[in-house]
Amino acid sequence: MQKLAFMDGSTNSTLQIYNRQIGLKFQLYNSLFTALPFHRVEKTGVLLSIFLLHCEEGYNKKLSPTEIINTFINQYTPYNTEQELIDLMFRFVQYAERQVVLFDALEDAAYRDINDMTGVGTLKHLQSEILHTQTQPQLAEKLKDFSVRLVLTAHPTQFYSSEVLGIINDLSKALANDNTAQVNSYLQQLGKTSFYKNEKPTPYDEAVNLIWFLENVFYQAAGHILTYLKSEFPNEVSDKNSIIRLGFWPGGDRDGNPFVKAKTTLKVSEALRGSIIKSYYRDVRKLKRRLTFKGVVSPLGALEEKLYNNLFLPGHKIDITQDEILSTLHDIRKTIIERHNSLFLNLIENLIRKVELFGLFFTTLDIRQDSSVHAELIETIAEQTNLLPDNYKELSDQEKISALLNIKDKVDAEQFENELFKDTIETIRAIKTIQKCNGEQGSNRYIISHTTKAVDVMEVYGLFLLSGWKRDKITVDIVPLFESIEDLRNAPDVMRTLYENKEYRSHLKLRNNTQTIMLGFSDGTKDGGYLMANWSIYKAKEELSKLSKEYDIEVVFFDGRGGPTARGGGRTHQFYASMGRNISNKEIQLTIQGQTISSNFGTIDAAQYNMEQLIHAGISNAIISTRDTTLTDSEENLLQTLSNVSYEAYNTLKTHPYFLEYLNYASPLRYYAEANIGSRPSKRKAGKLNLNDLRAVPYVGSWSQLKQNLPGYYGVGVALEAMDKAGKWEDVEQLYKRSLFFKTLLDNCEMAMTKCFFPLTAFLADHPNYGELWKVIYEEFERTRHYILRLTGCGELMEGKPVNLQSIQMRQRIELPLLTIQQYGLTKIREMEEQDVQADNKKSYEKLVMRCSFGIINAERNSA
């Protein structure tokens, strides 16, 4: 166990609660696994405990995973055949998977005890700050248009099925109540429930899995938050602005996913509408048990019947509106106040807040497609029709934009043989259908991946015209997504061109003179490394804020933050609190995905706490914070220098001839596509593996399973060392003390490194091709660790966050056997391939590698 830094009484108390509520209970309930319905389970449980200790001792002795497993088999089992060994490894995996679930459920159950639900960063804290500073007028002004938008994505970094999520939910409640009998039953249910998906999920399956979170978590948590805000700040909270908004990508995100079709999008929108109506229906039925008063029973019963008909009778699907539901509820509210002493008024107001927030759409279904698809489609339309100049492909960008703005007729989608082209037109038309059924917010954003120039945006505008939308009725935000380092640098020039285009400005006027711009961490980190990606985003926001203000446009930034810290995650609310005052903060918008959803928003308590933290960060940063987080010119220059040095180091590494080969050789990268964890391919294009086409999820996930987490720190140590050698270390120290942005970057970097475990792959140090790379990565890890500890003044990583550290360390012990088995499996597969042996056991080892991925990634739950 790492030595813990000095802690105040509160932190020490929280750590004691954590150890008692989670550490001790994990040991106690873990013993119940001996009763699980596994084959030879008693022996498996005992052997797994011994195997864990054997792994720890083996890595201390610098043994490889293969040596550890071979010595374990010889010392502790009577097994003589390879098949017996494989069977035991699968039982270990099955057992460890359930241990991870138990640990997840214990952390969920103890959430309120570990996190201060009324402390710093919560709405209760905000309330006291507002009253203390007498800033109610400023709050009212801020809340006119401020919101937090959480966008759930379909990125496959979460392996739990909806069945397992349901068990975790129920198990958490039983653990919170110390109901041992129920806990035992649910653990047995886990033993009988499959964790492994035999078939890839469809995009619709992914949507259904995430709708579980919408119904069971976000619906309740958001309702609680809005009801509290309205009750505490009745004059400041505007009925016209939803402070919380939700977005949704499954079924709408077709960037690189050939399986998402227009029909999928329509089907998901119907599922979202049905889900929110079902949620209202349940609430109305609960209300009927309390609101049994004269003048209330009848209208409530009529509303229940109408909601029921919308759910179950085909002819009634769209004969109810949001305004109609709200009108009925407001009438009931008035009756309760005037005739029934406001009895149970809070219940009806809670439902009113939910209907105001979720309407009949539940969450906005975003559409996303790659710019190259639009370009190819436009070029094909130009070649095959007279709607655009036949030499469109040869025109300059400005000439292309002029041609697009001259479109006067719509295109027939059926004339295209290419299914993707046909579907792109049908998707844009489907948005209109969704808006008619679910309301405008049902789907009103079109995101363009890999936006590099203004014509990429105008081609989408042209496709709307070609799909039958009228110029003055395009009720959709066109959102450019800038991802690579170069694209982020060019973003201001792209937006200036758009802002100066009269027709696009007219479109923005229809959209309240607001432009949403998405900035992606995922491919930025893969492209430029951790420090440069984060700094490039910061600088792009700064420059785009200034530019948009110049053109009197309100810019909203949408961050592709996502899961692991290496992809830009980490302490998200702290990140937003660190933005300077020269960066637009009209809204906070970010993607949440995979294990981030289940860890930060997996329960009502967790979701409410983390949403409150984001709301608090956005509001307090604007009207309360006395700390100016805006960087000075000298601080910006220092960060730019650090980023440049870091980028050069990362670029040298990623252009190494063996770089991607090494990752493919040592990690389970090639098995991501076969793991049935997501509907889309792990690469954007077929063919030879290359870094540009490789998606960020398998890229970062593979480094994570190697326990090297390279995208989360590589280049940081080199940059800090360069400043030290240049005599600028005091400047770095001052930057760390004063800049919350820089400190947040290094905090996240620290977490990524805490999860590294280089002894797992130390055997690769002697590899003839890849040994050099392993040593370079390890040296940079040690260098970064040295300088971060020098900055923090601590003896070990994350000493200042002992509860988080304890969680990581306990999870690492659960996953260590899985990591060892996975590396053993990969080694066996490589040996067979190198010797060109077609062994019967190869498929078993491949399945073993994939199964280990499930537990490993789920065990990394707290990565964001």
Side-chain angles (χ1 to χ4, degrees), residues 380-479:
T380 303
I381 291 172
E383 291 169 4
Q384 297 184 7
T385 73
N386 59 2
L387 298 171
L388 286 164
D390 54 11
N391 67 333
Y392 176 88
K393 192 173 182 179
E394 283 74 45
L395 298 178
S396 68
D397 283 359
Q398 193 51 54
E399 288 170 332
K400 286 179 178 179
I401 290 173
S402 298
L404 291 163
L405 296 180
N406 199 37
I407 291 169
K408 293 185 171 57
D409 206 351
K410 61 182 181 181
V411 71
D412 179 11
E414 293 301 318
Q415 73 182 74
F416 300 112
E417 292 182 9
N418 186 306
E419 287 297 323
L420 179 58
F421 293 167
K422 189 185 300 184
D423 187 74
T424 302
I425 297 293
E426 289 173 351
T427 297
I428 294 174
R429 289 175 179 163
I431 296 173
K432 193 177 288 188
T433 303
I434 295 170
Q435 291 191 357
K436 182 179 178 182
C437 296
N438 295 9
E440 186 194 307
Q441 290 189 70
S443 183
N444 63 358
R445 309 203 318 170
Y446 197 109
I447 300 162
I448 309 165
S449 296
H450 292 105
T451 300
T452 61
K453 48 198 175 183
V455 73
D456 292 337
V457 174
M458 296 310 296
E459 283 181 335
V460 169
Y461 182 81
L463 285 171
F464 271 84
L465 300 178
L466 288 164
S467 301
W469 290 73
K470 302 297 181 187
R471 280 175 164 77
D472 59 348
K473 289 193 170 62
I474 300 179
T475 50
V476 178
D477 296 326
I478 301 175
V479 182

Side-chain angles (χ1 to χ4, degrees), residues 135-298:
T135 47
Q136 289 91 336
Q138 292 94 318
L139 178 66
E141 185 64 27
K142 180 67 177 174
L143 291 182
K144 282 181 180 178
D145 57 10
F146 173 76
S147 67
V148 169
R149 184 191 292 253
L150 301 173
V151 181
L152 281 66
T153 79
H155 292 72
T157 54
Q158 172 57 263
F159 289 89
Y160 291 142
S161 64
S162 56
E163 292 85 1
V164 174
L165 286 170
I167 295 171
I168 293 175
N169 187 272
D170 295 339
L171 183 58
S172 296
K173 292 175 183 175
L175 289 164
N177 296 323
D178 287 324
N179 190 328
T180 306
Q182 277 191 333
V183 171
N184 188 40
S185 297
Y186 295 145
L187 290 178
Q188 289 196 51
Q189 184 185 0
L190 272 178
K192 290 288 189 180
T193 303
S194 174
F195 279 42
Y196 185 72
K197 295 173 179 132
N198 292 318
E199 296 179 359
K200 271 184 178 291
T202 65
Y204 183 73
D205 294 333
E206 290 175 329
V208 169
N209 280 342
L210 285 189
I211 286 173
W212 185 94
F213 284 100
L214 292 177
E215 281 187 21
N216 293 281
V217 179
F218 288 98
Y219 178 75
Q220 304 294 345
H224 293 166
I225 290 173
L226 293 177
T227 300
Y228 178 85
L229 279 171
K230 190 68 175 177
S231 65
E232 298 302 322
F233 304 108
N235 300 319
E236 289 80 15
V237 177
S238 168
D239 292 337
K240 296 178 181 178
N241 177 47
S242 296
I243 297 169
I244 298 171
R245 303 173 193 269
L246 296 178
F248 206 71
W249 277 17
D253 178 14
R254 56 249 303 134
D255 172 25
N257 189 342
F259 307 112
V260 178
K261 307 289 185 185
K263 288 180 180 177
T264 315
T265 304
L266 289 168
K267 190 177 178 183
V268 170
S269 73
E270 289 175 11
L272 288 166
R273 177 188 169 91
S275 179
I276 192 58
I277 291 177
K278 179 170 64 175
S279 298
Y280 296 154
Y281 174 70
R282 286 171 176 164
D283 272 3
V284 168
R285 283 182 63 84
K286 290 176 185 175
L287 280 175
K288 282 184 67 181
R289 296 177 64 180
R290 299 281 80 84
L291 305 182
T292 52
F293 323 134
K294 190 174 181 180
V296 173
V297 172
S298 181

Side-chain angles (χ1 to χ4, degrees), residues 44-63:
T44 301
V46 173
L47 282 174
L48 181 58
S49 298
I50 298 170
F51 181 56
L52 169 60
L53 296 173
H54 191 77
C55 288
E56 291 174 332
E57 291 171 3
Y59 290 120
N60 285 335
K61 295 176 182 176
K62 300 185 178 180
L63 299 181

Side-chain angles (χ1 to χ4, degrees), residues 10-24:
S10 172
T11 305
N12 192 38
S13 174
T14 305
L15 184 61
Q16 289 175 357
I17 293 170
Y18 186 93
N19 287 330
R20 184 173 65 250
Q21 294 286 76
I22 297 167
L24 180 60

